[in-house]
Amino acid sequence: TWTYDSATNTYLRSQGGRKTVTQDGTRVSANNVAVIVTDVSVLDAVGRRKIRTTGEGKAWVLQDGATIDATWKKPSASERLSFYDKDDNEIAMNAGNTWIEVAESEGDVTIE
């Protein structure tokens, strides 16, 4: 779960109802959060996963307290991952860190 904090213009991460913190106790936060929908398959009994990171698919970009319906695109492994709005304009990321969440289907994502 990512919760927008308007005082810092960041998103704060929680998992399982508990605040996510680093080893030193700092709250995990991001200036941009992107959620991509892509193919995910389990490779072995340990649970390692193969995640498709090239091509394109559905995405959402969370910035400045707003959610942008988007498409992610990465034409090849050597090119960078980019996000585009409904008019196919590239979305500029805010300065700072960007966290990318991966979902197997749109049904796995809840945007409130």
Side-chain angles (χ1 to χ4, degrees):
T1 302
W2 290 94
T3 304
Y4 180 65
D5 179 9
S6 61
T8 60
N9 194 32
T10 60
Y11 291 85
L12 304 174
R13 189 170 196 273
S14 300
Q15 189 168 4
R18 297 178 59 189
K19 295 176 182 177
T20 305
V21 296
T22 62
Q23 192 171 14
D24 70 0
T26 303
R27 185 80 188 267
V28 173
S29 65
N31 303 90
N32 310 280
V33 177
V35 181
I36 69 169
V37 177
T38 190
D39 303 318
V40 179
S41 58
V42 178
L43 294 175
D44 56 28
V46 177
R48 287 180 275 231
R49 296 191 176 357
K50 179 180 179 180
I51 300 171
R52 180 177 61 86
T53 57
T54 56
E56 64 180 67
K58 176 68 180 161
W60 296 269
V61 175
L62 287 68
Q63 294 179 319
D64 306 319
T67 301
I68 304 166
D69 285 325
T71 300
W72 68 268
K73 298 179 184 181
K74 188 171 196 282
S76 70
S78 63
E79 295 181 72
R80 71 181 177 85
L81 175 64
S82 300
F83 297 90
Y84 297 85
D85 66 17
K86 63 181 168 98
D87 296 321
D88 208 31
N89 297 310
E90 187 171 355
I91 299 168
M93 294 295 174
N94 289 337
N97 59 346
T98 299
W99 189 294
I100 300 174
E101 296 279 359
V102 175
E104 292 182 68
S105 75
E106 290 185 45
D108 294 335
V109 179
T110 302
I111 306 284
E112 297 177 359

